[in-house]
Amino acid sequence: MARPNPLYGTGIFRRRIRLQAAQGQVSVDLEDGNHGFRLRLWHDGERVTTVEVDPLRIPFNTCAEAQRPLQRVIGHRLDEDDATLRSRLVPGDNCTHLYDMAVLAVAHAAAHLSKRRGDGITDDGCTTCLYDMEVDDERDGVTRARIACNGQPVHDWAIAQHTLHEPAEHAGRPVMRGFHAWASKSFSGMPREAAFALQRAYFVAQARRHSFEPAAEHPGASDGMPQGACYSYNTGVVERAFRSNGTVRDFTDSPELLLKFLP
């Protein structure tokens, strides 16, 4: 059983995602207090042809194996919808974060291709999007969660008991189970993508409440997570999922270190 983190209530969970779309390829880099990944996706203008992953910092020794189910993205048409991609990849079979990165990569590949065709672009210009997420530790029962895109604020939420209290137009909406349904209808374009990214950051930020040290005493099977919560919590994997030593980082006071992937 994990112990309470004695520092919880004094810090900020930070996550940064950088997307770079160029001709025929998209790169996605993600780093937060628990994870560090690089993903590269290639396409031929119609379908995904290759996907490669660098699992630089992972919670469990088994996480790197999730590169295998992610290969199902190969062959996906860039003009197919999110539901088709979801059914192809099956989120519970994958690492949650690699799944999210693949979805982002496909979306940005399609958007970049559409922009090139629509604007008549003929060079190999690269389009970059940088998302910065901040989730404050809960204080007085309330958590503040924010996301900016390329330095511009997009969402600023006040959350209590996994329910939105601010902004007023979304008060009462769930931030955990049921989030995807209402957010899909309430947002579009970049704000929709940012809302999904911020919700995921809020979910991962809950890990700050706990201390899993020493790692050897907290194997995956001891977490009590449901089957299919992610790749490493699946039957046949969770039994050999052991926590990695020394991989948790606190970026509360050092956001500038995100995406530097320091050892």
Side-chain angles (χ1 to χ4, degrees), residues 13-220:
F13 172 86
R14 298 185 185 274
R15 168 176 275 200
R16 179 170 289 170
I17 298 175
R18 179 174 56 226
L19 298 114
Q20 295 177 294
Q23 184 177 20
Q25 62 180 292
V26 179
S27 64
V28 187
D29 300 332
L30 177 152
E31 188 169 28
D32 60 33
N34 303 80
H35 313 89
F37 292 109
R38 286 195 179 108
L39 180 146
R40 301 293 180 268
L41 180 144
W42 287 266
H43 62 88
D44 61 7
E46 293 185 357
R47 297 178 182 271
V48 177
T49 58
T50 309
V51 62
E52 295 180 355
V53 175
D54 291 323
L56 302 170
R57 185 162 51 87
I58 52 181
F60 294 106
N61 62 311
T62 49
C63 294
E65 300 172 11
Q67 298 175 73
R68 293 198 294 265
L70 196 70
Q71 299 303 308
R72 298 174 193 160
V73 73
I74 295 173
H76 177 76
R77 291 188 57 88
L78 299 180
D79 59 1
E80 291 179 312
D81 59 17
D82 291 352
T84 302
L85 181 56
R86 183 181 180 89
S87 65
R88 176 188 285 269
L89 283 176
V90 186
D93 290 354
N94 280 269
C95 163
T96 300
H97 315 292
L98 292 180
Y99 170 86
D100 288 347
M101 294 168 76
V103 170
L104 285 169
V106 168
H108 281 254
H112 187 263
L113 191 63
S114 176
K115 183 176 187 298
R116 287 173 57 82
R117 288 171 175 167
D119 294 351
I121 300 173
T122 56
D123 63 11
D124 292 336
C126 180
T127 302
T128 300
C129 176
L130 187 69
Y131 283 119
D132 278 297
M133 289 141 275
E134 303 175 351
V135 181
D136 297 345
D137 290 350
E138 183 179 313
R139 297 175 178 87
D140 298 322
V142 177
T143 297
R144 301 293 311 201
R146 301 168 293 279
I147 186 168
C149 179
N150 294 333
Q152 298 301 309
V154 182
H155 299 296
D156 186 343
W157 298 341
I159 304 165
Q161 297 183 334
H162 303 325
T163 301
L164 276 172
H165 285 224
E166 297 176 11
E169 61 265 33
H170 301 307
R173 296 292 193 176
V175 186
M176 298 293 263
R177 184 179 296 275
F179 173 84
H180 191 276
W182 74 263
S184 295
K185 297 177 181 178
S186 298
F187 306 109
S188 61
M190 183 275 290
R192 178 178 183 268
E193 183 174 270
F196 291 156
L198 184 56
Q199 187 275 340
R200 188 71 80 192
Y202 172 77
F203 170 75
V204 180
Q206 305 311 306
R208 277 187 52 83
R209 297 176 182 270
H210 310 291
S211 171
F212 295 97
E213 296 294 338
E217 296 181 6
H218 300 283

